Amino acid sequence: MLKIGCHISSGKGFLAMGKAAQSISANTFQFFTRNPRGGAAKALDLADVEAMNAYCAEHKIGNLLAHAPYTLNACAKDAGLREFARNTMADDLSRLEYIPDCMYNFHPGSHVQQGAEVGIAYIADTLNQVLQPEQSTTVLLETMAGKGSEVGRSFEELRSILDKVELKEKMGVCLDTCHVFDGGYDIVSNLEGVLEEFDQIIGLERLKAVHLNDSMNPLGSHKDRHQKIGQGNIGLEAFTAIINHPRLRNLPFYLETPNEMDGYAAEIALLRGLYR
Ligand code: FE
Ligand code: FE
Ligand code: ZN
């Protein structure tokens, strides 16, 4: 069975997210841990979390993916901003312990003229401070499009971060199809080659999740503008190959396409129909 869902708004709480996923026949979903632009999280409503956990178990919804606010910058030049990223991530991780079988995805950061090497060192430093030996949540680095000074634009940069992390067993990677395509990895005409390269540099065993997004822009554009599935430069044929690939087909897939819930429901149905 294809594990597929989409990004769901956390505005109405945890149980509401589970019900929203069920309403579009998703068996997984992604959500922001707090306002995506950052800021304080509401006090955790444990009863609501437990209600969601029970609902998801009952409806076979799993592999929940929490997404850190995208304004966090673990490799900011400013020490205060790095501290904010570290505290937010630590707080998110402590909350996520209440959700079984959960993963936490974050954008590595932007080095802003410090150079990728400095950025990579700061990101690893942050991870070494927030990861705990007893945590059950796996933390994922997202592959980035390489917009501006984003770190994580290449498999080599992600590997360099992972190399510096002490609790490696807590770490994985989330591959975003729009981002890698915009980053110059040709998943349309050379999916096999790209996965081979991922395997050589990072190791496919580290790949834990896939963000399924088409791209408004051409290969190597470094833009990061998501498009609906089949309506961009990646195209439906490539998505069919991706969800059915023997090395990918059992991973959870999350749509972050420009859609409302009815659009997500249609994309989930479309992709289920293409799954062999
Ligand atoms: Fe993301
Ligand atoms: Fe993404
Ligand atoms: Zn994106």
Side-chain angles (χ1 to χ4, degrees):
M1 174 102 148
L2 179 63
K3 290 177 201 154
I4 187 159
C6 64
H7 188 89
I8 289 181
S9 162
S10 50
K12 292 188 178 128
F14 289 96
L15 177 58
M17 292 195 290
K19 288 182 173 174
Q22 174 70 9
S23 77
I24 55 169
S25 298
N27 51 4
T28 185
F29 64 91
Q30 171 179 270
F31 62 99
F32 281 124
T33 53
R34 61 188 74 212
N35 184 317
R37 302 206 170 275
K42 284 180 278 185
L44 192 66
D45 181 346
L46 253 186
D48 186 27
V49 174
E50 276 158 16
M52 174 187 75
N53 290 342
Y55 184 89
C56 287
E58 186 191 336
H59 293 90
K60 308 238 176 334
I61 297 168
N63 304 280
L64 270 48
L65 181 56
H67 195 307
Y70 48 69
T71 46
L72 296 187
N73 189 1
C75 62
K77 187 168 186 171
D78 182 276
L81 292 179
R82 292 200 304 277
E83 187 189 358
F84 177 73
R86 186 169 70 234
N87 291 341
T88 302
M89 290 172 74
D91 185 44
D92 281 350
L93 283 173
S94 69
R95 290 159 176 263
L96 292 175
E97 284 303 298
Y98 294 100
I99 302 174
D101 189 23
C102 188
M103 301 187 290
Y104 181 56
N105 175 65
F106 79 108
H107 296 182
S110 291
H111 64 73
V112 205
Q113 290 166 9
Q114 300 174 97
E117 216 171 305
V118 173
I120 286 163
Y122 277 144
I123 295 159
D125 216 47
T126 301
L127 287 165
N128 284 330
Q129 292 180 70
V130 302
L131 294 175
Q132 303 295 328
E134 64 278 8
Q135 78 182 51
S136 62
T137 303
T138 302
V139 176
L140 309 184
L141 297 166
E142 183 167 354
T143 59
M144 301 309 291
K147 192 161 37 92
S149 64
E150 275 172 353
V151 179
R153 59 177 60 221
S154 67
F155 298 159
E156 285 84 356
E157 288 189 359
L158 296 177
R159 168 68 196 260
S160 301
I161 297 168
L162 293 169
D163 277 345
K164 293 180 164 63
V165 174
E166 285 147 25
L167 294 170
K168 289 183 177 42
E169 69 278 12
K170 305 292 178 192
M171 295 296 303
V173 171
C174 172
L175 184 143
D176 185 307
T177 55
C178 170
H179 296 177
V180 294
F181 183 75
D182 284 18
Y185 292 98
D186 192 355
I187 52 174
V188 176
S189 47
N190 188 21
L191 177 63
E192 210 54 56
V194 171
L195 293 179
E196 188 56 37
E197 193 175 339
F198 188 105
D199 197 31
Q200 298 279 312
I201 297 168
I202 300 175
L204 276 170
E205 71 283 356
R206 290 253 176 248
L207 183 57
K208 306 290 186 195
V210 177
H211 282 165
L212 271 188
N213 303 304
D214 213 326
S215 176
M216 287 189 182
N217 292 292
L219 177 70
S221 60
H222 301 294
K223 286 277 209 293
D224 189 6
R225 295 282 307 280
H226 301 186
Q227 179 55 292
K228 293 179 177 154
I229 298 297
Q231 296 184 29
N233 290 296
I234 297 178
L236 201 53
E237 206 179 312
F239 286 110
T240 309
I242 289 166
I243 59 171
N244 287 293
H245 193 282
R247 306 292 298 269
L248 305 177
R249 57 180 292 117
N250 294 316
L251 292 172
F253 296 93
Y254 308 86
L255 298 160
E256 301 175 308
T257 44
N259 275 306
E260 301 298 327
M261 291 307 273
D262 56 341
Y264 281 133
E267 288 188 347
I268 288 169
L270 171 72
L271 291 161
R272 283 202 193 287
L274 294 168
Y275 192 65
R276 294 184 283 266

